[in-house]
Amino acid sequence: MIEARRLHILRAVADHRTVTAAAAALYLTPSAVSQQLTALEQETGHRLVERSAKGVRLTPAGEILLSHTNAVLAQLERAEAELAAYGSGEAGTVTVAAFATGIAQVVAPAVARLAETAPGICIRVQDAEGDASLPMVLDRQVDVAVAVEYRGAPPADDPRLTHVPLYAEPFDAVVPVGHRLADTAEIPLADLAKDPWIGPYPGNPCHDVVVLACESAGFQPRLEHSSDDFRAVVALASAGAGVALVPRSALKGMDLTRVIVRPVDGVAPTRRVFAAVRRGAEGHPLIRPVLEALGRAAQEA
């Protein structure tokens, strides 16, 4: 008989590529993870992982078991959801990981709504970029992620996750007051090819959006300054340090007196935001109201 918790460990190793990283994500010791993998191999009668100096990879037998693992774990999530519904499930804690502007745009309004409509649900919020929040969901560190589409992100049909689209927003061009394009109604990105740029660090999903948009306009942005805080990005633009692309919602409430904000000419780069939960958990009586509140907040934003 294969133990479900060992399947969870197998998936964590496949996701993180090393025993050490998987152990850290699961709050286990590396030796405990190795022992569970060995026990799983004994249960299945097959070698499931191969270790090398570069990490761990699944054998063909391990890949076969992983494909079933995703289905098994999703079904267990559904079983937990139905049992929770049977026991009413009207009170409990749901942990949500989201990036800063996502918290302001949809998470905080959802928390306020749930305080009125589902007072038994306690929401705990963690600030995390989209590329960090999805692994947190898969590793059961949080229940819900509010994330952004980015290169390398799990696709919408990933068997491990259920995606719920929330909203899409354009990036606007931000240039210093007095910039040569300040009087332009819409700024063509190609006209900013020779400017110094300010943008998020590599790894931040918004970094990919900025770089891909510039590449589509025919140039590689010269990123002179880096910050994941858009207030810092705008402050640097205000100081004349460079130009930037900033999501429209991130500009709300900022001091924009020393910058010019203009739409991008043509097809604007877009940030697409979604909520994600472990597949099968979307019907849980605690998680379902949270997803509904996030969706309503996105519609009203």
Side-chain angles (χ1 to χ4, degrees):
M1 181 69 69
I2 298 174
E3 289 194 20
R5 66 189 177 96
R6 290 175 182 154
L7 294 179
H8 183 62
I9 289 173
L10 178 71
R11 186 163 79 178
V13 169
D15 287 342
H16 293 280
R17 306 290 184 181
T18 70
V19 168
T20 300
L26 298 173
Y27 299 103
L28 297 172
T29 64
S31 61
V33 169
S34 295
Q35 289 170 6
Q36 293 299 318
L37 287 175
T38 298
L40 185 58
E41 289 179 328
Q42 292 173 347
E43 287 174 346
T44 61
H46 293 278
R47 186 180 180 188
L48 302 175
V49 298
E50 291 181 346
R51 296 172 175 81
S52 69
K54 295 182 179 180
V56 176
R57 70 179 184 87
L58 299 188
T59 64
E63 293 287 355
I64 292 172
L65 184 57
L66 180 64
S67 67
H68 291 283
T69 291
N70 292 326
V72 168
L73 295 182
Q75 190 60 40
L76 287 174
E77 292 282 356
R78 295 186 189 99
E80 290 181 9
E82 289 188 20
L83 287 171
Y86 178 77
S88 79
E90 295 179 354
T93 299
V94 176
T95 306
V96 180
F99 56 99
T101 50
I103 292 174
Q105 187 86 345
V106 293
V107 177
V111 170
R113 178 181 298 276
L114 288 166
E116 297 180 357
T117 61
I121 299 178
C122 174
I123 304 296
R124 291 182 179 169
V125 181
Q126 297 184 23
D127 189 333
E129 292 298 336
D131 57 333
S133 62
L134 294 176
M136 291 168 71
V137 167
L138 290 171
D139 293 333
R140 304 183 71 88
Q141 296 173 12
V142 301
D143 301 303
V144 181
V146 175
V148 178
E149 291 181 2
Y150 61 94
R151 282 189 291 190
D157 60 353
D158 189 296
R160 301 168 299 171
L161 296 167
T162 293
H163 283 224
V164 179
L166 294 178
Y167 64 93
E169 62 173 329
F171 281 61
D172 288 326
V174 178
V175 302
V177 169
H179 190 273
R180 64 186 183 281
L181 298 177
D183 295 331
T184 306
E186 295 183 340
I187 294 181
L189 284 185
D191 290 354
L192 299 175
K194 295 183 179 179
D195 286 84
W197 278 73
I198 311 157
Y201 284 101
N204 184 314
C206 289
H207 174 88
D208 285 349
V209 175
V210 171
V211 171
L212 285 172
C214 292
E215 288 176 350
S216 296
F219 70 98
Q220 188 76 24
R222 180 163 53 92
L223 286 164
E224 299 263 339
H225 311 281
S226 297
S227 175
D228 288 335
D229 185 337
F230 286 116
R231 290 188 179 275
V233 170
V234 171
L236 287 168
S238 297
V243 300
L245 287 173
V246 177
R248 189 165 291 172
S249 67
L251 295 168
K252 293 180 180 178
M254 286 195 195
D255 179 5
L256 303 175
T257 56
R258 299 177 62 189
V259 296
I260 301 297
V261 178
R262 294 286 185 267
V264 173
D265 184 34
V267 179
T270 301
R271 174 163 73 171
R272 302 186 187 280
V273 180
F274 61 93
V277 298
R278 292 180 295 277
R279 188 171 290 271
E282 62 274 8
H284 193 286
L286 295 179
I287 293 177
R288 186 179 62 253
V290 174
L291 293 176
E292 291 172 351
L294 289 170
R296 182 66 63 85
Q299 291 174 359
E300 296 177 351

